[in-house]
Amino acid sequence: MIRRMAQSKRRSRQRHRPRWLRLGRKAQISTDYLAQPEIPGTVKPSQREIERARDSIPDDFGWQWAEPRLTPIFERPRMSEGVDGDPLLNTVTPLGVAIGFGIEVGPTFARVSRSMAARWEASLEQIEAAAFRHLAEAVGRLGRSDLQHAVHQGHLMRALTVPDGWASSVILAGEEVITRIFGSQDQTFIVPARNLLVSLDARTPSAV
């Protein structure tokens, strides 16, 4: 049996405001990774890497550039408004999980806002379908060799950090994919950050 947590769970109790890099008409880049909790054996992008990703985005990019890079990502209520009055595009899956949409750019992602969708003349359904197609393609290349192993407070944890920037979205691909990568043993999944999906033995105390 696989237990999955539908909502993101942070190990750190510290709260922080979401941070964004506003790129004019280009995109909103999340820098939330810089405040993510430290997990032994994993890495996170640096400010320099995020800035390089920002610079790789073409000016006034359109649907043709964005469509193959779209990804579904877990939505967090405190990050759903975006910046400068440009709300982010989001929806709820049939399982009741709130998701938004990102555009894969290296080790991070740009967020899809409502104004972007309007500029592309793309519906929510089109964007959602494109994002899950990209997810299916990405997870098809993943296997158990992509897992990183670490021990935290005496408990083994296995972490997935790819695809870069949005590894947590892999759990949205369904149980068949999760079983192929993580196995079918009893386990609990947590999402400490968007670029990190962690598996713990189901018997691991919740206080770990």
Side-chain angles (χ1 to χ4, degrees):
M1 178 180 177
I2 296 177
R3 289 194 294 158
R4 290 178 290 177
M5 302 188 68
Q7 297 180 341
S8 300
K9 176 181 179 181
R10 286 188 173 275
R11 290 302 186 187
S12 172
R13 297 296 182 183
Q14 183 179 2
R15 297 292 182 180
H16 63 277
R17 293 180 60 83
R19 293 180 288 177
W20 303 91
L21 297 178
R22 179 68 175 183
L23 310 179
R25 285 173 55 82
K26 291 172 76 174
Q28 300 171 22
I29 291 279
S30 172
T31 62
D32 195 45
Y33 300 119
L34 302 178
Q36 78 177 48
E38 297 290 344
I39 301 294
T42 65
V43 296
K44 60 184 178 182
S46 65
Q47 177 74 51
R48 184 177 179 83
E49 289 174 318
I50 291 175
E51 290 173 352
R52 282 201 297 265
R54 172 197 62 189
D55 294 340
S56 72
I57 302 175
D59 293 329
D60 294 329
F61 61 87
W63 174 253
Q64 186 174 6
W65 184 86
E67 187 269 341
R69 296 173 171 84
L70 289 169
T71 64
I73 56 178
F74 283 104
E75 190 60 276
R76 297 175 184 173
R78 64 186 177 82
M79 298 184 71
S80 62
E81 296 181 359
V83 297
D84 298 338
D86 187 8
L88 299 177
L89 189 69
N90 45 55
T91 188
V92 177
T93 71
L95 294 178
V97 179
I99 62 169
F101 303 97
I103 304 171
E104 184 180 15
V105 279
T108 184
F109 58 89
R111 287 300 308 268
V112 177
S113 67
R114 295 181 187 177
S115 68
M116 284 184 195
R119 191 169 75 244
W120 299 336
E121 298 183 348
S123 67
L124 171 62
E125 291 75 18
Q126 286 177 296
I127 291 172
E128 185 174 11
F132 276 91
R133 280 198 304 271
H134 185 196
L135 174 62
E137 293 170 1
V139 299
R141 298 188 291 269
L142 301 180
R144 296 192 186 184
S145 61
D146 293 299
L147 296 176
Q148 300 181 32
H149 297 77
V151 176
H152 181 61
Q153 296 183 10
H155 296 276
L156 176 67
M157 62 173 59
R158 296 177 299 156
L160 186 68
T161 60
V162 288
D164 289 344
W166 52 289
S168 63
S169 297
V170 170
I171 203 167
L172 296 172
E175 189 163 344
E176 182 177 345
V177 170
I178 293 297
T179 299
R180 174 170 57 81
I181 298 172
F182 288 91
S184 59
Q185 67 275 20
D186 290 353
Q187 53 194 310
T188 298
F189 290 92
I190 62 171
V191 180
R194 286 207 177 95
N195 60 334
L196 185 61
L197 178 61
V198 176
S199 166
L200 300 168
D201 185 280
R203 296 166 294 181
T204 303
S206 59
V208 172

